[in-house]
Amino acid sequence: VEGIREVYSLQKYIEMWLSIRSRSLEDGGYGILCPMVCLLNHPQTDEEATVEIAKDMKGRIVMKATRVLETGEELTYSYGELTAERALLVYGFPHSVWSTLPSIDGFYE
């Protein structure tokens, strides 16, 4: 039983859930695993995303630029409206980022 407790610890569960969640897109309440999505950063506060991701008519995941990009320019994708809690718990943003975002009222009480 001790070995099972280690394999299925809460910490390992959270790490695996975040690993999957940060590499997936939402589609009607379901997640679509897209392993390369985690390489796309959220744009800076005053910038717009350089790419959009959507499903095409055949149900394939397609990423396309929102404008003409310069060679070597970073690809960014908007994670949507972020609260401090979502930035930390879902995407694993560092304290330097999530501490600057609005918080859910009462979350820390």
Side-chain angles (χ1 to χ4, degrees), residues 19-40:
S19 179
I20 292 168
R21 180 64 183 94
S22 67
R23 291 161 176 81
S24 63
L25 302 170
E26 290 183 27
D27 180 36
Y30 295 95
I32 300 172
L33 191 59
C34 299
M36 300 304 285
V37 168
C38 64
L39 298 177
L40 300 172

Side-chain angles (χ1 to χ4, degrees), residues 25 36-54 62-70 72-80 93:
L25 302 170
M36 300 304 285
V37 168
C38 64
L39 298 177
L40 300 172
N41 287 322
H42 185 75
Q44 297 295 321
T45 304
D46 58 341
E47 297 177 358
E48 292 193 25
T50 58
V51 299
E52 294 177 344
I53 300 175
V62 177
M63 178 174 58
K64 53 185 193 175
T66 58
R67 58 179 170 76
V68 175
L69 302 174
E70 299 293 326
E73 186 174 353
E74 179 180 24
L75 301 180
T76 59
Y77 173 72
S78 176
Y79 299 168
F93 278 53

Side-chain angles (χ1 to χ4, degrees), residues 53-107:
I53 300 175
K55 284 183 11 181
D56 68 8
M57 298 292 284
K58 295 182 179 180
R60 298 175 295 196
I61 301 297
V62 177
M63 178 174 58
K64 53 185 193 175
T66 58
R67 58 179 170 76
V68 175
L69 302 174
E70 299 293 326
T71 301
E73 186 174 353
E74 179 180 24
L75 301 180
T76 59
Y77 173 72
S78 176
Y79 299 168
E81 291 297 318
L82 293 176
T83 62
E85 295 78 17
R86 184 172 175 85
L88 171 64
L89 299 174
V90 176
Y91 298 109
F93 278 53
H95 182 265
S96 61
V97 173
W98 65 258
S99 63
T100 65
L101 297 170
S103 183
I104 299 171
D105 288 340
F107 186 81

